[in-house]
């Protein structure tokens, strides 16, 4: 076996030069995948966890240059769900077997702390055996704490890129990497299971920046790590940039599994969008979570972060049987439990 890959497997880290060697060559891919699967199996067996994703609003006050629901996109067809709609989604999801609900949306000022507190408390009391995951963007410490106290368990907030000048090139002036990192650290301190992550192949990204992403995650030791290829959206300033690479994304999933064997890593919608087999390949590379879309069907095509975002077939929560078959065909099995992070081996 290749010494470098063996070293990563055993030490869970490498120096920058070694990481760069792996990232810039594809000769390691098969071995990386094989060892990533050994690690995944030690912690999670063959289990793949499913999360019901509720995209509750595509209004956003931010103007991230890559994102299709950015405030400046006047062509976006905006919608927001109310408390009742969201509870209906959970009800539907519960019947389908989901035990984690992920509330994700743009940073929509309509959703005050009080409104979120009402939503979280109602989900908590109606579905006491389910995990509530929030992905609401940046908020202040008190909001994060109040949401946690009301019953939220997990929070997803990607750092997007850990290189400061790169962060500033793909975000508007009012957002900063420092603030983003602070939010993520606060969430951890409060007691959430925390997810972070980054886009692969976003405009101006260099391979060296990806190593900075890995270093930031080493400090954070996140419970969940979400990555996906950057995909361009026709009504954003980045419309003419090339999409990120599926192969590099898959390689990074394997690297992340070796660095953070205990972590929950989704095979993301972006991966399923860039290639029809992307999600299965993500699982085979070391991912162990999928997040089918549980939003009401009439809004699904409106949460358009990038062009051609998939929302039907096995991506749709109601097609869970189709997804289960795909997962089984890839050699895994769907787990119906909450799927909390496991910090120790089986
Ligand atoms: N407002 C929430 C949810 C954002 S959408 C938050 O800030 O956390 C979830 C993720 O989609 C983002 O973190 C980003 O990494 C990803 N995303 C947005 N636009 C994208 C694009 N054009 N290509 C690929 N991923 C994108």
């Amino acid at each position: 076996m290749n010494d470098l890959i063996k070293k990563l497997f055993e030490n869970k880290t490498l120096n920058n030069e070694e990481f760069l060697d792996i990232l810039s060559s594809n000769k390691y891919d098969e071995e990386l995948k094989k060892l990533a699967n050994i690690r995944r199996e030690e912690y999670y067996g063959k289990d793949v966890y499913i999360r019901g994703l509720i995209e509750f609003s595509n209004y956003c006050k931010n103007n991230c240059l890559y994102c299709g629901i950015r405030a400046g996109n006047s062509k976006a067809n905006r919608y927001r769900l109310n408390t009742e709609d969201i509870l209906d989604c959970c009800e539907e999801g519960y019947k389908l077997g989901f035990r984690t609900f992920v509330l994700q949306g743009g940073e929509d000022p309509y959703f005050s702390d009080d409104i979120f507190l009402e939503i979280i408390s109602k989900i908590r009391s109606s579905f006491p055996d389910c995990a509530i995951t929030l992905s609401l963007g940046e908020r202040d410490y008190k909001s994060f704490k109040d949401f946690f106290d009301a019953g939220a368990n997990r929070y997803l907030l990607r750092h997007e890129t850990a290189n400061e000048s790169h962060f500033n090139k793909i975000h508007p002036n009012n957002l900063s990497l420092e603030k983003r990192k602070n939010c993520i650290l606060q969430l951890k301190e409060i007691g959430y299971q925390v997810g972070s992550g980054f886009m692969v192949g976003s405009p101006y990204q260099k391979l060296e920046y990806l190593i900075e992403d890995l270093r930031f995650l080493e400090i954070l030791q996140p419970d969940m790590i979400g990555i996906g290829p950057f995909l361009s959206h026709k009504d954003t300033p980045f419309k003419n940039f090339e999409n990120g690479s599926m192969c590099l994304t898959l390689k990074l999933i394997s690297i992340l599994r070796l660095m953070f064997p205990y972590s929950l890593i989704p095979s993301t919608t972006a991966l399923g969008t860039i290639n029809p087999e992307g999600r299965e390949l993500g699982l085979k590379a070391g991912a162990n979570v999928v997040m089918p879309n549980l939003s009401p069907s009439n809004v699904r095509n409106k949460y358009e972060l990038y062009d051609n975002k998939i929302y039907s077939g096995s991506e749709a929560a109601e097609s869970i049987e189709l997804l289960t078959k795909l997962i089984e065909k890839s050699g895994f099995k769907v787990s119906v439990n909450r799927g909390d992070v496991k910090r120790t081996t089986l």
Side-chain angles (χ1 to χ4, degrees):
M1 191 197 303
N2 179 283
D3 283 349
L4 202 53
I5 305 300
K6 203 166 143 205
K7 189 168 166 196
L8 177 59
F9 181 74
E10 280 162 9
N11 300 352
K12 303 195 180 80
T13 192
L14 292 173
N15 66 36
N16 288 359
E17 216 178 304
E18 293 166 332
F19 269 134
L20 197 58
D21 187 2
I22 296 189
L23 289 174
S24 52
S25 150
N26 47 25
K27 67 177 186 227
Y28 305 111
D29 292 8
E30 279 310 308
E31 272 182 318
L32 270 174
K33 206 161 65 175
K34 213 187 282 167
L35 294 188
N37 273 298
I38 293 178
R39 281 287 183 249
R40 177 245 307 277
E41 223 167 308
E42 283 170 8
Y43 283 75
Y44 292 101
K46 297 279 186 200
D47 284 356
V48 170
Y49 302 98
I50 50 167
R51 324 294 197 195
L53 182 62
I54 304 166
E55 295 164 335
F56 62 87
S57 171
N58 71 352
Y59 283 88
C60 192
K61 64 176 192 212
N62 290 333
N63 226 353
C64 304
L65 280 78
Y66 45 84
C67 185
I69 63 167
R70 67 200 301 269
N73 179 10
S74 56
K75 292 194 181 149
N77 189 352
R78 306 283 172 176
Y79 74 92
R80 63 171 64 96
L81 304 182
N82 63 29
T83 305
E84 209 178 308
D85 299 329
I86 295 173
L87 283 160
D88 286 348
C89 292
C90 296
E91 187 74 53
E92 165 83 10
Y94 194 88
K95 283 190 214 142
L96 292 166
F98 291 90
R99 293 297 176 267
T100 292
F101 303 118
V102 181
L103 300 183
Q104 182 168 98
E107 292 194 23
D108 178 353
Y110 167 85
F111 285 88
S112 61
D113 281 7
D114 283 347
I115 295 183
F116 273 134
L117 283 171
E118 187 196 17
I119 295 169
I120 296 164
S121 320
K122 285 194 169 155
I123 300 178
R124 178 45 62 238
S125 59
S126 310
F127 306 96
D129 54 335
C130 293
I132 302 174
T133 303
L134 304 178
S135 182
L136 320 175
E138 297 179 8
R139 290 184 96 92
D140 58 31
Y141 183 91
K142 186 178 178 324
S143 315
F144 288 152
K145 176 83 172 85
D146 290 348
F147 297 164
F148 184 78
D149 291 339
N153 312 94
R154 309 181 187 142
Y155 206 107
L156 307 176
L157 185 59
R158 291 186 180 177
H159 64 278
E160 313 295 358
T161 170
N163 177 280
E164 192 168 357
S165 71
H166 184 220
F167 188 98
N168 293 335
K169 277 192 181 143
I170 64 174
H171 292 101
N173 292 336
N174 62 321
L175 296 185
S176 77
L177 179 60
E178 197 192 349
K179 177 130 187 289
R180 178 62 58 106
K181 283 185 180 172
N182 274 339
C183 284
I184 297 169
L185 295 170
Q186 285 173 357
L187 290 161
K188 184 146 191 180
E189 186 198 314
I190 289 168
Y192 283 96
Q193 289 175 43
V194 173
S196 197
F198 52 91
M199 280 179 289
V200 179
S202 55
Y204 313 110
Q205 188 177 62
K206 298 183 178 158
L207 286 183
E208 286 80 358
Y209 299 169
L210 290 167
I211 302 172
E212 294 181 52
D213 289 318
L214 301 178
R215 298 291 176 219
F216 170 66
L217 295 176
E218 276 182 329
I219 294 169
L220 182 67
Q221 294 289 309
D223 302 287
M224 298 153 306
I225 307 169
I227 67 166
F230 158 76
L231 298 169
S232 71
H233 186 292
K234 58 185 183 316
D235 303 314
T236 64
F238 287 164
K239 63 181 176 210
N240 293 325
F241 280 87
E242 259 184 52
N243 289 341
S245 143
M246 175 173 81
C247 290
L248 185 56
T249 307
L250 294 172
K251 189 199 311 231
L252 278 157
I253 289 178
S254 297
I255 293 174
L256 290 167
R257 173 59 62 203
L258 291 174
M259 294 177 74
F260 311 98
Y262 63 83
S263 63
L264 293 157
I265 302 178
S267 194
T268 53
T269 310
L271 205 47
T273 298
I274 200 171
N275 185 297
E277 283 171 31
R279 257 182 341 186
E280 291 92 295
L281 292 171
L283 294 174
K284 288 179 180 166
N288 60 343
V289 172
V290 280
M291 300 165 65
N293 197 315
L294 194 52
S295 313
S297 47
N298 62 323
V299 305
R300 274 185 202 171
N301 61 346
K302 297 182 185 153
Y303 197 80
E304 203 188 29
L305 304 176
Y306 39 79
D307 289 338
N308 307 316
K309 180 167 166 275
I310 51 170
Y311 51 86
S312 57
S314 59
E315 191 64 23
E318 64 278 11
S319 307
I320 184 75
E321 280 177 30
L322 196 62
L323 180 67
T324 303
K325 278 198 195 124
L326 275 179
I327 289 173
E328 285 169 0
K329 223 178 100 197
S330 310
F332 304 103
K333 73 175 207 304
V334 170
S335 167
V336 289
N337 72 31
R338 268 176 45 135
D340 288 299
V341 70
K342 287 185 195 164
R343 291 277 178 175
T344 53
T345 51
L346 288 173

